[in-house]
Structure formats: structure tokens, C-alpha cells
Amino acid sequence: MSKPVANRVRPVPAQGLISNRESERADLVVVANRLPVQHSSSNGSEGWRPSPGGLVSALTAVLQSRNGLWIGWSGTSEHQDAPLTFEGIRLKAVNFSKAEFDDFYLGFSNATLWPLYHDAIRAPTFHRAWWQTYSNINMRYAIAAAESVAPGGSVWIHDYQLQLVPQMLRQLRPDVRIGFFLHIPFPPIELFMQLPWRREILAGLLGSDLIGFQVRQAASNFSRMARRQSSATGTDSSLDFHGRVIRVGAFPISVDCEQIVALANDPTIRARAREIRKDLGDPELVLLGVDRLDYTKGIQQRIKAVSELFQDGSLSADKHIMVQVAVPSRETDAHYDLERHSLEQIVSEVNGEHGLVGRPTINYLHQNLPFEELVALYLAADIMIVTPFRDGMNLVAKEYVMCRTDLTGRLVLSEFAGAAAELGGAFMVNPHDLEGIKEAIRLAIIVGPKEEKDRMSRMRRKIVRRNVYDWAESFLAALQQTGS
Ligand code: GDG
């Protein structure tokens, strides 16, 4: 998706990025770990490109309509020349050193909070030094937001890397409305209690006027935790804390339906989908997995399930094939390195045991693909398999469904993805239950055309009702109603 940036991002001389003069402050500020642009050097050209994804498009659209500004990290400590505008919105970069990045991002965010919030699938690591840096960096974002927001304006803070920002910002700017949205799950009490800084994180989040989660379960986990570990009282959807009312709710994120449907109907991309099937040897059935290479996504489980289906004859290498895209992610983390190596070992074992000459059973790609190619793969696949052990939402599942404009295609989906609450038409699985995954894939293989169509129509109806723009607007509308 990433178009060359030249006519989209306007670099501005490095002086006077954001004036602190009140008239130049923004009515709406988005604070996220990353800016909506990233530095890349591909095809021989270096520069800043828009970060791919529906979230960037949706937040950019709401900022454009509200005199908005986006605060985030540029994604690199080498290039501190991030552009100052993007698609008509102002950007403000927060910078940190390599050592701070290690402790704040790789450490506390990705090795403490990420595993803890995903059912502790890997043991979280607790280090006091990481916590200290997390707190310092959160303060840096809070100061940047306090300097940038207009009197009485609104600030929308995103995700687990920035959970202390709401309270810090409230102390600096009690006049502004503060919203927070968590993209990943919020864990049950028993797990959250492990965190040595649980009270500080809760107090950080409770600085908000509105706290949004992907699903109701996460909202209720949070509210119960807040009532137990802080002086907050109230219900799952409304808490009283230090004389303020804090709204808590579920705002399930979605995808850019129109854009995906347009790509899925694009004749070039449809031709590419046909070409992919041909390149795969014109199999009867294509199974597909697409994930960031992350231990939460259950990739190995699904490969094991598929392998056993080849073993017991439910699948056969001359008729069936699986494509697994594992997008490189967090490669400096030892857990991820291990995950990659054991995944690649399993894939080669399955191919070694069940593949034919020129016809591997699993076509494995450890690559970041252009979004158009991903859409072509979604179109080429008869069965999409999404089996995270825990996932805030899972946009891949929603993207697959939106691509299937002809109402064909079957989705095998983990009960533990937030998307399961909306996608009742999927073949649901418990990702810990290998036999259950196999059974769901078997059912997806034999389902008749009428049931396939019914299931897909149900899922599509659900998603189109609320696209990613509606998600952003509904959160901001709810934020606007707080404190009144
Ligand atoms: C977090 C939460 C929540 C994947 N491969 C390629 C590629 N992708 C894109 C997909 C999709 C996105 O990445 C992945 O989103 P997910 O939702 O599946 O997962 P996380 O990255 O873990 O996201 C999650 C999400 O935040 C939003 O709130 O749903 O639960 O964990 O959009 O299309 N994009 C391109 N090339 C690839 O190879 N261009």
C-alpha cells in the first residue's frame, strides 16, 4: 500500500515545528507509539513513506477534519528528520535514544506487557530499569501532548506502550478531554496482579475520561481490576474516581471496507489471484494463514493441525496446498527468534514428509508483502485459518471476509480473537485444541456452497455495518460526551 511519499508528505524546515502559541495548538491530538510515516530505503530510493494500514487512514481522516496533530516516534533513531506534515495534518516526533528504545519498547512494552496481556503465553519479564524508562518515555509523550493541544481540546492516546500518559497529561492539562484506546487484550485479574506496577498502570489509565477496549470482556476485566486495586467505584461501564466519572466501553476496531472491496474488484489484482493459484499448481483447495510472526498468533498450532490432516489423508499433496505468510516482526527479541526457528523447522518437516517434487505442502513466506499482493492471496484462498491464542481483534480475519465479494470462502477462526465476537459465521476453534482445529478445517473443506455463502454473507454484513472510520468517529463522539 505504501505509495512513494513525495506528494503526500511535505517535509518542512526543521525550525519551529509546533508553535506553543495557543492559536496554533490543535483541537484534536492523537498520541501513538509511532507516527503515521516510516523511513524506508526500498527500490534504491530513501525517504519517508506513509505507514500501511487502515488505522493510519482512519485516524488521518479524523485529524484532517478537526485541525488535528499526531504525536509519535519516528521509528528510527538514525533519521531525526521526520516530516512535519502528512496529508494535511501536523506531525510531532518524540525521539528517544537506542538505550531508551531497548528498555521502553523492546523491554517493558514487548517483553513485559505484551506477553502478560496475551494470557502470559510466554513468561513476562519484570525489570525495574525497564519500568523506569517506560515511565520517563511516557512523560515525554505527555509533555508533547500538553504542549500541542488547544485549550479545551481532546487528546486520543493509543495502546499499551502509553498507559501512563493519560494521568500524566491530566496533571499537566486538566482542561482537556482525554481518551485512551487499548488495541490488545486487557488481561483477567489473576494475570494483571502479577505486574509489580499494577497500581501505577491503573492510575495511569484512570487519568482518562474514556477508556476503550476491543471487546466487552476486556472492558470488564479492567473495571473489575480498577475497583479492586484503586479507590474507583462504579460499574463495568462507568467508574467514579477522585470525583471524576470515567466511561469504559468496547469499541471493536474494523477495516477500510471500501478500499478493500475496491482492491478485491480490481481486475489486475483478480488476475494476480488466478496467477497465484496457477503458480501453486492449480490445486483443488488453497488454505491460507497471514500473520505477523508472533508467538501469540498460534501459527505453529495450525501448521501442526494441517500436517496431521496430510498425515491422516484428509488433505493430499496433489490436491491441497497451504500458503503461510509470516511477516517479520520484533526480530531482535529472543522469543521471536525462537518462534521463527521452530516454525521454520516444522514447516520443513511437513514439506519433507508430505510434499511432492515441485509441490511443497506448505508454501512459506517470511516477507512483508505489498497490501495488493495480500489481497490477491485472500482472493486466491478457499480457506483462511486464523488461530491466535489471544488477540485484541485480528484484522486479517476481517480483511479476508471483506475481500470475498462473491460470497465464497471459509474462515476458521480462534475463539480467543476479539473478531470472534462479530464473526459468528466462521468455523470457531479453541486454538489449544489440536483435534478441534483439525475438525474445523475438515468441516470447512466439506461445507456445501449454500452454507458457505450464508456464513460469508453473515460475516460481511456485520463488518460493513461498522468500518474503521465509524470506529474512530464513534470513539470520538463518546469522548465528546464525557464530562458533560
Ligand atoms: C494489533 C493487535 C488488533 C500483515 N501482513 C502484511 C500486512 N499485514 C497487515 C494486515 C493487517 C495487519 O497487518 C495485522 O493486524 P492484526 O490485527 O491481524 O494484528 P497486529 O499486528 O497484532 O495488531 C490486534 C490490531 O492491533 C488493531 O487494533 O486487531 O489484535 O494485536 O491489517 O493486513 N500488511 C502488508 N504486508 C504484509 O505482508 N502490507
Side-chain angles (χ1 to χ4, degrees), residues 1-2 52-55 114 118 159-160 181-185 214 252-255 260 290-292 294 296-297 325-330 367-374 377-378 386 390-397 399 417-419 471:
M1 270 288 75
S2 112
L55 178 67
W114 180 267
H118 287 89
D159 228 0
Y160 62 105
F181 183 78
L182 187 69
H183 290 258
I184 67 173
Q214 299 275 24
I253 197 167
S254 189
V255 292
I260 293 175
V290 173
D291 312 76
R292 246 181 342 94
D294 193 298
T296 61
K297 301 288 183 184
V325 180
V327 184
S329 176
R330 306 180 190 173
Q367 293 167 26
N368 201 335
L369 304 173
F371 192 65
E372 290 81 351
E373 181 72 0
L374 216 55
L377 279 166
Y378 290 144
V386 181
R390 183 61 70 187
D391 214 332
M393 176 55 61
N394 196 292
L395 294 180
V396 165
E399 288 164 2
W471 165 79

Side-chain angles (χ1 to χ4, degrees), residues 100-317:
E100 286 173 327
F101 172 77
D102 287 351
D103 285 3
F104 160 69
Y105 186 71
L106 301 179
F108 200 78
S109 299
N110 288 344
T112 306
L113 295 173
W114 180 267
L116 183 70
Y117 282 33
H118 287 89
D119 287 358
I121 296 161
R122 293 286 180 280
T125 307
F126 303 111
H127 278 313
R128 284 167 289 182
W130 289 357
W131 163 252
Q132 199 49 57
T133 310
Y134 181 84
S135 179
N136 295 344
I137 298 285
N138 270 243
M139 182 55 92
R140 207 168 293 169
Y141 281 91
I143 291 170
E147 288 173 354
S148 310
V149 60
S154 299
V155 179
W156 186 2
I157 301 155
H158 289 259
D159 228 0
Y160 62 105
Q161 302 93 350
L162 302 177
Q163 293 173 99
L164 302 179
V165 175
Q167 184 196 32
M168 290 170 167
L169 178 59
R170 179 160 301 282
Q171 279 163 1
L172 296 166
R173 289 292 305 273
D175 61 300
V176 300
R177 281 198 163 87
I178 302 174
F180 180 92
F181 183 78
L182 187 69
H183 290 258
I184 67 173
F186 191 87
I189 289 187
E190 308 77 62
L191 282 177
F192 190 76
M193 292 290 278
Q194 288 183 13
L195 189 63
W197 306 279
R198 61 200 187 199
R199 284 174 188 277
E200 288 85 343
I201 294 280
L202 283 176
L205 291 169
L206 288 165
S208 317
D209 295 296
L210 171 67
I211 311 178
F213 296 90
Q214 299 275 24
V215 291
R216 223 170 321 154
Q217 182 65 52
S220 134
N221 284 350
F222 171 79
S223 297
R224 285 175 57 215
M225 191 68 225
R227 290 195 297 265
R228 183 152 155 182
Q229 284 286 315
S230 75
S231 57
T233 56
T235 65
D236 281 0
S237 55
S238 175
L239 294 168
D240 289 290
F241 182 66
H242 292 177
R244 290 186 304 113
V245 175
I246 296 150
R247 301 277 171 206
V248 181
F251 296 83
I253 197 167
S254 189
V255 292
D256 186 342
C257 301
E258 261 182 46
Q259 181 221 20
I260 293 175
V261 167
L263 290 173
N265 288 333
D266 182 323
T268 318
I269 295 179
R270 295 194 83 82
R272 173 67 191 137
R274 287 192 295 275
E275 187 180 54
I276 289 172
R277 282 192 82 106
K278 193 155 162 277
D279 290 347
L280 292 170
D282 278 324
E284 261 175 35
L285 191 93
V286 177
L287 305 135
L288 175 68
V290 173
D291 312 76
R292 246 181 342 94
L293 207 171
D294 193 298
Y295 54 78
T296 61
K297 301 288 183 184
I299 309 174
Q300 290 191 45
Q301 280 290 89
R302 110 184 42 135
I303 303 283
K304 274 186 206 148
V306 168
S307 166
E308 291 188 17
L309 292 172
F310 277 110
Q311 185 78 44
D312 71 15
S314 308
L315 294 173
S316 72

